[in-house]
Structure formats: structure tokens, C-alpha cells
Coordinates of all heavy atoms in Angstrom, one line a residue:
M632 N 207.7 84.8 -107.1 CA 209.1 85.2 -107.1 C 209.6 85.5 -108.5 O 210.5 86.3 -108.7 CB 209.9 84.0 -106.5 CG 211.4 84.3 -106.5 SD 212.2 82.9 -105.6 CE 213.9 83.6 -105.7
A633 N 209.0 84.9 -109.5 CA 209.4 85.1 -110.9 C 209.0 86.5 -111.4 O 207.8 86.8 -111.5 CB 208.8 84.0 -111.8
S634 N 209.9 87.4 -111.6 CA 209.6 88.7 -112.0 C 209.5 88.8 -113.5 O 209.0 89.7 -114.1 CB 210.7 89.7 -111.6 OG 212.0 89.3 -112.1
N635 N 210.0 87.7 -114.2 CA 209.9 87.7 -115.7 C 209.3 86.3 -116.1 O 210.1 85.4 -116.5 CB 211.3 87.9 -116.3 CG 211.2 88.1 -117.8 OD1 210.2 88.2 -118.4 ND2 212.4 88.2 -118.4
P636 N 208.0 86.1 -115.9 CA 207.5 84.8 -116.2 C 207.6 84.4 -117.6 O 207.5 85.2 -118.5 CB 206.0 84.9 -115.8 CG 205.7 86.4 -115.8 CD 207.0 87.1 -115.5
A637 N 207.9 83.1 -117.8 CA 208.1 82.6 -119.2 C 206.8 82.5 -119.9 O 205.7 82.2 -119.3 CB 208.8 81.3 -119.1
S638 N 206.9 82.7 -121.3 CA 205.7 82.4 -122.1 C 206.2 82.0 -123.5 O 207.4 82.1 -123.8 CB 204.9 83.7 -122.3 OG 205.7 84.7 -123.0
V639 N 205.3 81.4 -124.2 CA 205.6 81.0 -125.6 C 204.4 81.3 -126.5 O 203.3 81.2 -126.0 CB 206.0 79.5 -125.7 CG1 204.9 78.6 -125.3 CG2 206.5 79.2 -127.1
R640 N 204.7 81.8 -127.7 CA 203.6 82.0 -128.6 C 204.0 81.5 -130.0 O 205.2 81.5 -130.3 CB 203.2 83.5 -128.6 CG 204.2 84.4 -129.1 CD 203.8 85.9 -129.1 NE 204.9 86.8 -129.3 CZ 205.5 87.1 -130.4 NH1 204.9 86.6 -131.5 NH2 206.5 87.9 -130.5
R641 N 203.0 81.2 -130.8 CA 203.3 80.7 -132.2 C 203.3 81.9 -133.1 O 202.3 82.7 -133.0 CB 202.3 79.7 -132.6 CG 202.4 79.1 -134.0 CD 203.4 78.0 -134.0 NE 203.5 77.5 -135.3 CZ 203.2 76.2 -135.7 NH1 202.7 75.4 -134.8 NH2 203.4 75.8 -136.9
Q642 N 204.3 82.1 -133.9 CA 204.3 83.1 -134.9 C 204.7 82.5 -136.2 O 205.9 82.2 -136.4 CB 205.2 84.3 -134.5 CG 205.3 85.4 -135.5 CD 206.2 86.5 -135.0 OE1 206.5 86.7 -133.8 NE2 206.6 87.4 -135.9
D643 N 203.8 82.2 -137.1 CA 204.0 81.5 -138.4 C 204.6 80.1 -138.1 O 204.0 79.3 -137.4 CB 204.8 82.3 -139.3 CG 204.1 83.6 -139.7 OD1 202.9 83.6 -139.9 OD2 204.8 84.7 -139.8
T644 N 205.9 79.9 -138.5 CA 206.5 78.6 -138.3 C 207.5 78.7 -137.1 O 208.4 77.9 -137.0 CB 207.3 78.2 -139.6 OG1 208.2 79.1 -139.9 CG2 206.3 77.9 -140.7
A645 N 207.4 79.7 -136.3 CA 208.3 79.9 -135.1 C 207.5 79.8 -133.8 O 206.4 80.2 -133.7 CB 209.0 81.3 -135.2
L646 N 208.2 79.2 -132.8 CA 207.8 79.3 -131.5 C 208.7 80.4 -130.8 O 209.9 80.3 -130.8 CB 207.9 78.0 -130.7 CG 206.9 76.9 -131.1 CD1 207.3 75.6 -130.3 CD2 205.5 77.3 -130.8
V647 N 208.0 81.4 -130.3 CA 208.8 82.6 -129.8 C 208.7 82.5 -128.2 O 207.6 82.6 -127.7 CB 208.2 83.9 -130.3 CG1 209.0 85.1 -129.7 CG2 208.2 83.9 -131.8
F648 N 209.8 82.2 -127.6 CA 209.8 82.1 -126.1 C 210.2 83.5 -125.5 O 211.0 84.2 -126.1 CB 210.9 81.1 -125.7 CG 210.5 79.7 -126.1 CD1 210.8 79.2 -127.3 CD2 209.9 78.9 -125.1 CE1 210.4 77.9 -127.6 CE2 209.5 77.6 -125.4 CZ 209.8 77.1 -126.7
S649 N 209.8 83.7 -124.3 CA 210.2 84.9 -123.6 C 210.2 84.6 -122.1 O 209.6 83.7 -121.7 CB 209.3 86.1 -123.9 OG 208.0 85.9 -123.4
G650 N 211.0 85.3 -121.4 CA 211.2 85.1 -119.9 C 212.2 84.0 -119.7 O 212.8 83.5 -120.6
V651 N 212.4 83.7 -118.4 CA 213.4 82.8 -117.9 C 212.9 81.4 -118.1 O 211.8 81.1 -117.7 CB 213.8 83.1 -116.5 CG1 214.7 82.0 -115.9 CG2 214.4 84.4 -116.3
L652 N 213.7 80.5 -118.8 CA 213.3 79.1 -118.9 C 214.0 78.3 -117.8 O 215.1 77.9 -117.9 CB 213.7 78.6 -120.3 CG 213.0 79.1 -121.5 CD1 213.5 78.5 -122.8 CD2 211.5 78.9 -121.4
D653 N 213.2 78.1 -116.7 CA 213.7 77.3 -115.6 C 212.7 76.2 -115.3 O 211.7 76.0 -116.1 CB 214.0 78.2 -114.4 CG 212.8 79.0 -113.9 OD1 211.6 78.7 -114.4 OD2 212.9 79.9 -113.1
R654 N 212.9 75.5 -114.2 CA 212.0 74.4 -113.9 C 210.6 74.8 -113.8 O 209.7 74.1 -114.3 CB 212.5 73.7 -112.6 CG 211.8 72.4 -112.3 CD 212.4 71.7 -111.1 NE 212.3 72.5 -109.9 CZ 211.4 72.4 -108.9 NH1 210.5 71.4 -109.0 NH2 211.4 73.1 -107.9
A655 N 210.3 75.9 -113.1 CA 208.9 76.3 -113.0 C 208.3 76.6 -114.4 O 207.1 76.3 -114.6 CB 208.8 77.5 -112.1
A656 N 209.1 77.3 -115.2 CA 208.6 77.6 -116.6 C 208.3 76.4 -117.4 O 207.3 76.4 -118.1 CB 209.6 78.5 -117.2
V657 N 209.2 75.4 -117.3 CA 209.0 74.2 -118.1 C 207.7 73.5 -117.8 O 206.9 73.2 -118.6 CB 210.2 73.2 -117.9 CG1 209.9 71.8 -118.4 CG2 211.4 73.8 -118.5
T658 N 207.4 73.4 -116.5 CA 206.1 72.8 -116.0 C 204.9 73.6 -116.6 O 203.9 73.0 -117.1 CB 206.0 72.8 -114.5 OG1 207.2 72.1 -114.0 CG2 204.8 72.2 -114.0
A659 N 205.0 74.9 -116.6 CA 203.9 75.8 -117.1 C 203.8 75.8 -118.6 O 202.7 75.8 -119.1 CB 204.1 77.2 -116.6
L660 N 204.9 75.7 -119.3 CA 204.9 75.8 -120.8 C 204.7 74.5 -121.5 O 204.2 74.5 -122.6 CB 206.2 76.4 -121.3 CG 206.5 77.9 -120.9 CD1 207.9 78.3 -121.4 CD2 205.4 78.8 -121.4
W661 N 205.0 73.4 -120.9 CA 205.0 72.1 -121.6 C 203.6 71.8 -122.3 O 203.6 71.5 -123.5 CB 205.4 71.0 -120.7 CG 205.5 69.7 -121.5 CD1 204.7 68.6 -121.4 CD2 206.4 69.4 -122.6 NE1 205.1 67.7 -122.3 CE2 206.2 68.1 -123.1 CE3 207.5 70.2 -123.1 CZ2 206.9 67.6 -124.1 CZ3 208.2 69.6 -124.2 CH2 207.9 68.3 -124.6
P662 N 202.5 72.0 -121.6 CA 201.2 71.8 -122.3 C 201.0 72.6 -123.6 O 200.4 72.1 -124.6 CB 200.2 72.1 -121.2 CG 200.9 71.9 -119.9 CD 202.3 72.4 -120.2
A663 N 201.5 73.8 -123.6 CA 201.3 74.6 -124.8 C 202.2 74.2 -126.0 O 202.0 74.6 -127.1 CB 201.6 76.1 -124.4
L664 N 203.2 73.3 -125.7 CA 204.1 72.9 -126.7 C 203.7 71.6 -127.4 O 204.4 71.1 -128.3 CB 205.5 72.8 -126.1 CG 206.1 74.1 -125.6 CD1 207.4 73.9 -124.9 CD2 206.2 75.2 -126.7
Q665 N 202.7 71.0 -126.9 CA 202.3 69.7 -127.5 C 201.9 69.8 -129.0 O 202.1 68.9 -129.7 CB 201.1 69.1 -126.6 CG 201.6 68.8 -125.2 CD 202.8 68.0 -125.1 OE1 202.9 66.9 -125.7 NE2 203.8 68.5 -124.4
A666 N 201.3 70.9 -129.4 CA 200.8 71.0 -130.8 C 201.9 71.9 -131.5 O 201.7 73.1 -131.6 CB 199.5 71.7 -130.8
S667 N 203.0 71.3 -131.9 CA 204.1 72.1 -132.5 C 204.4 71.7 -133.9 O 205.4 72.0 -134.4 CB 205.3 71.9 -131.6 OG 205.6 70.6 -131.5
S668 N 203.5 71.0 -134.6 CA 203.8 70.6 -135.9 C 203.9 71.8 -136.8 O 203.3 72.8 -136.7 CB 202.7 69.6 -136.4 OG 201.7 70.3 -137.1
G669 N 204.9 71.7 -137.8 CA 205.2 72.7 -138.7 C 206.2 73.8 -138.2 O 206.5 74.7 -138.9
V670 N 206.6 73.6 -136.9 CA 207.5 74.6 -136.4 C 208.9 74.4 -137.0 O 209.4 73.2 -137.0 CB 207.6 74.5 -134.8 CG1 208.7 75.3 -134.2 CG2 206.3 75.0 -134.2
Q671 N 209.6 75.5 -137.4 CA 210.9 75.4 -137.9 C 211.9 76.2 -137.2 O 213.1 76.0 -137.3 CB 210.9 75.9 -139.4 CG 210.0 75.0 -140.3 CD 209.8 75.6 -141.7 OE1 210.3 76.6 -142.0 NE2 209.1 74.9 -142.5
V672 N 211.4 77.2 -136.3 CA 212.3 78.0 -135.6 C 211.9 78.1 -134.1 O 210.7 78.2 -133.8 CB 212.3 79.5 -136.2 CG1 213.2 80.4 -135.4 CG2 212.7 79.5 -137.7
L673 N 212.9 78.0 -133.3 CA 212.7 78.2 -131.8 C 213.4 79.5 -131.5 O 214.7 79.5 -131.5 CB 213.3 77.0 -131.1 CG 212.7 75.6 -131.4 CD1 213.4 74.5 -130.7 CD2 211.2 75.6 -131.1
D674 N 212.6 80.5 -131.3 CA 213.2 81.9 -131.1 C 213.4 82.1 -129.6 O 212.4 82.2 -128.8 CB 212.2 82.9 -131.7 CG 212.8 84.3 -131.7 OD1 213.6 84.6 -130.8 OD2 212.5 85.1 -132.6
L675 N 214.7 82.3 -129.2 CA 215.0 82.5 -127.8 C 215.6 83.9 -127.6 O 216.2 84.1 -126.5 CB 216.1 81.4 -127.4 CG 215.7 80.0 -127.7 CD1 216.9 79.1 -127.4 CD2 214.5 79.6 -126.9
T676 N 215.4 84.8 -128.5 CA 216.0 86.1 -128.4 C 215.4 86.9 -127.2 O 216.1 87.8 -126.7 CB 215.8 86.9 -129.7 OG1 214.4 87.0 -130.0 CG2 216.6 86.3 -130.8
A677 N 214.2 86.6 -126.7 CA 213.7 87.3 -125.5 C 213.8 86.5 -124.2 O 213.2 86.7 -123.3 CB 212.2 87.6 -125.8
V678 N 214.7 85.4 -124.3 CA 214.9 84.6 -123.1 C 216.3 85.1 -122.5 O 217.3 84.9 -123.1 CB 215.0 83.1 -123.4 CG1 215.4 82.3 -122.2 CG2 213.6 82.7 -124.0
P679 N 216.3 85.7 -121.3 CA 217.5 86.2 -120.7 C 218.4 85.1 -120.2 O 219.7 85.2 -120.3 CB 217.1 87.1 -119.6 CG 215.7 86.6 -119.2 CD 215.1 86.0 -120.5
R680 N 217.9 84.0 -119.7 CA 218.7 82.9 -119.2 C 217.8 81.6 -119.1 O 216.6 81.7 -119.1 CB 219.3 83.2 -117.8 CG 218.3 83.5 -116.7 CD 219.1 83.9 -115.4 NE 218.1 84.4 -114.5 CZ 217.3 83.7 -113.7 NH1 217.3 82.4 -113.8 NH2 216.4 84.2 -112.9
M681 N 218.5 80.5 -118.9 CA 217.8 79.2 -118.7 C 218.7 78.3 -117.8 O 219.9 78.5 -117.7 CB 217.6 78.6 -120.1 CG 218.9 78.2 -120.8 SD 218.7 77.7 -122.5 CE 217.6 76.4 -122.4
D682 N 218.0 77.3 -117.3 CA 218.7 76.3 -116.5 C 218.6 75.0 -117.2 O 218.2 74.9 -118.4 CB 218.2 76.3 -115.0 CG 216.8 75.8 -114.9 OD1 216.2 75.3 -115.9 OD2 216.2 75.8 -113.8
S683 N 219.1 73.9 -116.5 CA 219.1 72.6 -117.2 C 217.7 72.1 -117.5 O 217.5 71.4 -118.5 CB 219.8 71.6 -116.3 OG 219.2 71.4 -115.1
A684 N 216.7 72.5 -116.8 CA 215.3 72.1 -117.1 C 214.9 72.8 -118.4 O 214.2 72.1 -119.3 CB 214.3 72.4 -116.0
G685 N 215.2 74.0 -118.6 CA 214.9 74.7 -119.8 C 215.6 74.1 -121.0 O 215.1 73.9 -122.1
L686 N 216.9 73.7 -120.8 CA 217.6 73.0 -121.9 C 217.0 71.7 -122.2 O 216.8 71.4 -123.4 CB 219.1 72.8 -121.5 CG 219.9 72.1 -122.5 CD1 220.2 73.1 -123.7 CD2 221.2 71.6 -122.0
A687 N 216.5 71.0 -121.2 CA 215.9 69.7 -121.5 C 214.6 69.9 -122.3 O 214.3 69.1 -123.2 CB 215.6 69.0 -120.2
L688 N 213.8 70.9 -121.9 CA 212.6 71.2 -122.7 C 212.9 71.5 -124.1 O 212.3 70.9 -125.0 CB 211.9 72.4 -122.1 CG 210.7 72.9 -122.9 CD1 209.4 72.6 -122.1 CD2 210.9 74.4 -123.2
L689 N 213.9 72.3 -124.4 CA 214.2 72.6 -125.8 C 214.8 71.4 -126.5 O 214.5 71.2 -127.7 CB 215.3 73.8 -125.8 CG 214.7 75.1 -125.3 CD1 215.8 76.1 -125.2 CD2 213.6 75.6 -126.2
A690 N 215.6 70.6 -125.9 CA 216.2 69.4 -126.5 C 215.0 68.4 -126.9 O 215.0 67.9 -128.0 CB 217.2 68.8 -125.6
E691 N 214.1 68.2 -126.0 CA 213.0 67.3 -126.2 C 212.1 67.9 -127.4 O 211.7 67.1 -128.2 CB 212.1 67.1 -125.0 CG 210.9 66.3 -125.2 CD 211.1 64.9 -125.6 OE1 212.2 64.3 -125.4 OE2 210.2 64.3 -126.2
L692 N 211.8 69.2 -127.3 CA 211.0 69.8 -128.4 C 211.7 69.7 -129.7 O 211.1 69.3 -130.7 CB 210.8 71.3 -128.0 CG 209.9 72.1 -129.0 CD1 208.6 71.4 -129.2 CD2 209.8 73.5 -128.5
A693 N 213.0 69.9 -129.8 CA 213.8 69.8 -131.0 C 213.8 68.4 -131.5 O 213.6 68.1 -132.7 CB 215.2 70.3 -130.8
A694 N 213.9 67.4 -130.6 CA 213.8 66.0 -131.0 C 212.5 65.6 -131.6 O 212.4 64.9 -132.6 CB 214.2 65.1 -129.8
R695 N 211.4 66.1 -131.0 CA 210.1 65.9 -131.5 C 209.9 66.5 -132.9 O 209.3 65.9 -133.8 CB 209.0 66.4 -130.6 CG 208.9 65.6 -129.3 CD 207.8 66.1 -128.4 NE 207.8 65.3 -127.2 CZ 206.7 65.0 -126.5 NH1 205.6 65.6 -126.9 NH2 206.7 64.3 -125.4
L696 N 210.4 67.7 -133.1 CA 210.3 68.4 -134.4 C 211.1 67.6 -135.4 O 210.6 67.5 -136.6 CB 210.8 69.8 -134.3 CG 209.9 70.7 -133.4 CD1 210.6 72.1 -133.2 CD2 208.5 70.9 -134.0
R697 N 212.3 67.1 -135.1 CA 213.1 66.3 -136.0 C 212.3 65.1 -136.4 O 212.3 64.6 -137.5 CB 214.4 66.0 -135.5 CG 215.4 67.2 -135.6 CD 216.8 66.8 -135.2 NE 217.0 66.5 -133.8 CZ 217.2 67.4 -132.9 NH1 217.3 68.6 -133.2 NH2 217.4 67.0 -131.6
A698 N 211.6 64.4 -135.4 CA 210.9 63.2 -135.7 C 209.7 63.5 -136.6 O 209.2 62.6 -137.3 CB 210.4 62.6 -134.4
Q699 N 209.2 64.7 -136.7 CA 208.1 65.1 -137.6 C 208.6 65.6 -138.9 O 207.9 66.0 -139.8 CB 207.3 66.3 -136.9 CG 206.6 66.0 -135.7 CD 206.0 67.2 -135.0 OE1 206.0 68.3 -135.5 NE2 205.5 67.0 -133.8
G700 N 210.0 65.5 -139.1 CA 210.5 65.9 -140.4 C 211.1 67.3 -140.5 O 211.5 67.7 -141.6
S701 N 211.0 68.0 -139.4 CA 211.5 69.4 -139.4 C 213.0 69.4 -139.0 O 213.5 68.4 -138.4 CB 210.8 70.2 -138.4 OG 211.2 71.6 -138.4
D702 N 213.7 70.4 -139.4 CA 215.1 70.6 -138.9 C 215.1 72.0 -138.2 O 215.5 73.0 -138.8 CB 216.1 70.6 -140.1 CG 217.5 70.6 -139.7 OD1 217.8 70.4 -138.5 OD2 218.4 71.0 -140.5
P703 N 214.7 72.0 -136.9 CA 214.5 73.3 -136.2 C 215.8 74.1 -136.1 O 216.9 73.5 -135.9 CB 214.0 72.8 -134.9 CG 214.5 71.5 -134.7 CD 214.5 70.8 -136.1
R704 N 215.7 75.4 -136.3 CA 216.8 76.3 -136.0 C 216.5 77.1 -134.8 O 215.4 77.3 -134.4 CB 216.9 77.3 -137.2 CG 217.2 76.7 -138.5 CD 217.4 77.8 -139.6 NE 216.5 79.0 -139.5 CZ 215.2 79.1 -140.0 NH1 214.7 78.0 -140.6 NH2 214.5 80.2 -139.8
F705 N 217.6 77.5 -134.1 CA 217.5 78.3 -132.9 C 217.9 79.7 -133.2 O 219.0 79.9 -133.8 CB 218.4 77.7 -131.8 CG 217.9 76.4 -131.2 CD1 218.3 75.2 -131.8 CD2 217.0 76.4 -130.2 CE1 217.9 74.0 -131.3 CE2 216.6 75.2 -129.7 CZ 217.0 74.0 -130.2
N706 N 217.1 80.7 -132.8 CA 217.5 82.1 -132.9 C 217.8 82.5 -131.5 O 216.9 82.4 -130.6 CB 216.4 83.0 -133.5 CG 216.2 82.8 -135.0 OD1 217.1 82.2 -135.6 ND2 215.1 83.3 -135.5
G707 N 218.9 83.1 -131.2 CA 219.3 83.5 -129.9 C 219.9 82.4 -129.0 O 219.7 81.2 -129.3
A708 N 220.7 82.8 -128.1 CA 221.3 81.9 -127.2 C 221.4 82.6 -125.8 O 222.3 83.3 -125.5 CB 222.8 81.6 -127.6
P709 N 220.4 82.3 -125.0 CA 220.3 82.9 -123.6 C 221.5 82.4 -122.7 O 222.1 81.4 -123.0 CB 219.0 82.5 -123.1 CG 218.6 81.3 -123.8 CD 219.2 81.4 -125.2
A710 N 221.7 83.2 -121.7 CA 222.7 82.7 -120.7 C 222.4 81.3 -120.3 O 221.3 81.0 -119.9 CB 222.8 83.7 -119.5
G711 N 223.4 80.4 -120.3 CA 223.2 79.0 -120.0 C 223.1 78.1 -121.1 O 223.4 76.9 -121.0
F712 N 222.6 78.6 -122.3 CA 222.3 77.7 -123.4 C 223.6 77.0 -123.9 O 223.6 75.8 -124.0 CB 221.7 78.6 -124.6 CG 221.3 77.8 -125.8 CD1 220.1 77.1 -125.8 CD2 222.1 77.7 -126.9 CE1 219.7 76.4 -126.9 CE2 221.8 77.0 -128.0 CZ 220.5 76.3 -128.0
N713 N 224.6 77.8 -124.3 CA 225.8 77.1 -124.8 C 226.6 76.3 -123.7 O 227.1 75.2 -124.0 CB 226.8 78.2 -125.4 CG 226.2 78.8 -126.6 OD1 225.5 78.2 -127.4 ND2 226.4 80.1 -126.8
E714 N 226.7 76.9 -122.5 CA 227.4 76.2 -121.4 C 226.7 74.9 -121.1 O 227.4 73.9 -120.9 CB 227.5 77.1 -120.2 CG 228.2 78.4 -120.4 CD 227.3 79.5 -121.0 OE1 226.1 79.3 -121.3 OE2 227.8 80.6 -121.2
L715 N 225.4 74.9 -120.9 CA 224.7 73.7 -120.6 C 224.8 72.7 -121.7 O 224.9 71.5 -121.5 CB 223.3 74.0 -120.1 CG 223.1 74.6 -118.8 CD1 221.7 75.2 -118.6 CD2 223.5 73.7 -117.7
G716 N 224.6 73.1 -122.9 CA 224.7 72.2 -124.1 C 226.0 71.5 -124.1 O 226.1 70.3 -124.4
A717 N 227.1 72.3 -123.9 CA 228.4 71.7 -123.9 C 228.6 70.7 -122.7 O 229.2 69.6 -122.9 CB 229.5 72.8 -123.8
A718 N 228.1 71.1 -121.6 CA 228.2 70.2 -120.4 C 227.5 68.9 -120.6 O 228.0 67.8 -120.2 CB 227.6 70.9 -119.2
Y719 N 226.4 68.9 -121.3 CA 225.6 67.7 -121.6 C 226.0 67.0 -123.0 O 225.4 66.1 -123.4 CB 224.1 67.9 -121.6 CG 223.6 68.2 -120.2 CD1 223.3 69.5 -119.8 CD2 223.5 67.1 -119.3 CE1 222.8 69.7 -118.5 CE2 223.1 67.4 -118.0 CZ 222.7 68.6 -117.6 OH 222.3 68.9 -116.3
R720 N 227.1 67.6 -123.6 CA 227.6 67.1 -124.8 C 226.6 67.0 -126.0 O 226.5 66.0 -126.7 CB 228.3 65.7 -124.6 CG 229.5 65.9 -123.7 CD 230.2 64.6 -123.5 NE 231.4 64.8 -122.7 CZ 231.9 63.9 -121.9 NH1 231.4 62.7 -121.8 NH2 232.9 64.2 -121.1
L721 N 225.8 68.1 -126.1 CA 224.8 68.1 -127.1 C 225.4 68.9 -128.3 O 226.2 69.9 -128.1 CB 223.5 68.8 -126.6 CG 222.8 68.1 -125.5 CD1 221.7 69.0 -125.0 CD2 222.3 66.8 -125.9
A722 N 225.0 68.6 -129.5 CA 225.3 69.4 -130.7 C 224.6 70.7 -130.5 O 223.7 70.9 -129.8 CB 224.8 68.7 -131.9
P723 N 225.1 71.8 -131.3 CA 224.4 73.1 -131.2 C 222.9 73.0 -131.5 O 222.1 73.8 -131.1 CB 225.1 73.9 -132.2 CG 226.5 73.3 -132.3 CD 226.3 71.8 -132.1
S724 N 222.5 71.9 -132.3 CA 221.1 71.7 -132.6 C 220.3 71.1 -131.4 O 219.1 70.8 -131.5 CB 221.0 70.9 -133.8 OG 221.5 69.6 -133.6
L725 N 221.0 70.8 -130.3 CA 220.5 70.1 -129.2 C 220.1 68.7 -129.5 O 219.3 68.1 -128.9 CB 219.4 70.8 -128.5 CG 219.7 72.2 -128.0 CD1 218.5 72.8 -127.2 CD2 220.9 72.2 -127.1
D726 N 220.8 68.1 -130.5 CA 220.5 66.7 -130.9 C 221.3 65.8 -130.0 O 222.6 65.9 -129.9 CB 220.9 66.5 -132.4 CG 220.5 65.2 -132.9 OD1 220.1 64.3 -132.1 OD2 220.6 65.0 -134.2
F727 N 220.6 64.9 -129.3 CA 221.3 63.9 -128.4 C 222.1 62.9 -129.2 O 223.1 62.4 -128.7 CB 220.2 63.1 -127.6 CG 219.6 63.9 -126.6 CD1 218.2 64.3 -126.7 CD2 220.2 64.3 -125.4 CE1 217.6 65.1 -125.7 CE2 219.6 65.1 -124.4 CZ 218.3 65.4 -124.6
N728 N 221.7 62.6 -130.4 CA 222.3 61.6 -131.2 C 223.3 62.0 -132.2 O 223.9 61.2 -133.0 CB 221.2 60.8 -132.0 CG 220.2 60.2 -131.0 OD1 220.6 59.6 -130.0 ND2 218.9 60.3 -131.3
A729 N 223.6 63.3 -132.3 CA 224.5 63.8 -133.2 C 226.0 63.5 -132.8 O 226.4 63.7 -131.7 CB 224.4 65.4 -133.4
S730 N 226.7 62.9 -133.8 CA 228.1 62.6 -133.5 C 229.0 63.8 -133.8 O 230.1 63.9 -133.3 CB 228.5 61.4 -134.4 OG 228.4 61.7 -135.7
T731 N 228.5 64.8 -134.6 CA 229.3 66.0 -134.8 C 228.3 67.2 -134.8 O 227.1 67.0 -134.9 CB 230.0 66.0 -136.2 OG1 228.9 66.0 -137.2 CG2 230.8 64.7 -136.4
A732 N 228.8 68.3 -134.7 CA 228.0 69.6 -134.7 C 227.4 69.8 -136.1 O 226.5 70.6 -136.2 CB 228.8 70.8 -134.3
A733 N 227.9 69.1 -137.1 CA 227.4 69.4 -138.5 C 226.1 68.6 -138.7 O 225.5 68.8 -139.8 CB 228.4 68.9 -139.5
S734 N 225.7 67.7 -137.8 CA 224.5 66.9 -138.1 C 223.2 67.7 -137.9 O 223.1 68.7 -137.3 CB 224.5 65.7 -137.3 OG 224.4 66.0 -135.9

């Protein structure tokens, strides 16, 4: 059913995502994201839309990167990114623990 299957590839210090980030994509992509040390950018410019599972994947990945000492940046905001982030009261950095958007 997925006409635009999700994928992720490493490009220098960026993880470049493409395709729809939904529940099926999260299950398929998660194993490839385990070795993410040194990542500084999560590039979402080729992601047309995402659901809450995609947001959860990105939030968990961003939290792991912060725990490794990185401050990941997001490039692009697919449909659903800002709306879901606001609904779950996440900072723009998808930080669960941020008290303000400036953190």
C-alpha cells in the first residue's frame, strides 16, 4: 500500500529521511537508526508527512543524540510535524524535558 516507502541514509553528520514516516516506516527504520553517533542533523526535507509514530521515532532519536552530547537540528517540517509536536507539548527540538522552546 505504501507508494512512497520510507528510507534513511547517513550523509556526513546528517541522517537524511525520505518517504512517509508512519507506524510501518518506524518499524522498518528503527534498526538502521541504532548506530547514530556523531549525527547533528535530522533532514526531513524529503518527508511529505508523518504520524504520531514518526514523531515518536524522531523524539526518541533526538533524545538519544542529546544524551550522546549532540544538539540535533531539524531540516524541514513535513505535514504533521509541527501540529503533532504542539499536541504533545514538545519543544521544536522535540525535547520532552524542555520547559521552553529556547532549550
